[in-house]
């Protein structure tokens, strides 16, 4: 039953931002998070890049979805 209840949700945030969330099985969620984190860590170091890891994860996830 749980696998049949999957969804993608957008919730308005503030300052022109929104939350994008997925309701998926645990294993899929964790595997996706680990892959996104791995890709975020692989971004070359740049002294002019002041993004934190969470921001890099967000950018990686959006890049994967939109490209």
């Amino acid at each position: 039953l749980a696998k049949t209840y999957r969804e993608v949700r957008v919730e308005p945030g503030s300052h022109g931002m929104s939350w994008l969330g997925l309701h998926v099985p645990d294993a899929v969620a964790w595997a996706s998070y680990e892959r996104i984190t791995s890709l975020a860590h692989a971004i070359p170091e740049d002294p002019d890049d002041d993004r934190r890891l969470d921001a890099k994860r967000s950018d990686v996830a959006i890049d994967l979805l939109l490209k």
Side-chain angles (χ1 to χ4, degrees):
L1 179 65
K3 279 189 171 183
T4 62
Y5 184 67
R6 296 180 309 273
E7 69 177 325
V8 176
R9 184 180 294 189
V10 176
E11 295 180 25
S14 57
H15 307 287
M17 302 289 282
S18 292
W19 293 94
L20 174 63
L22 303 165
H23 190 251
V24 296
D26 287 337
V28 172
W30 283 108
S32 299
Y33 184 80
E34 289 171 9
R35 176 72 173 138
I36 290 166
T37 299
S38 175
L39 291 169
H41 280 298
I43 295 172
E45 292 292 324
D46 180 349
D48 295 326
D49 186 355
D50 62 352
R51 293 176 295 170
R52 293 179 170 213
L53 182 57
D54 280 333
K56 289 180 180 181
R57 282 187 190 112
S58 178
D59 293 342
V60 164
I62 293 303
D63 284 348
L64 290 170
L65 288 169
L66 297 180
K67 289 186 178 177

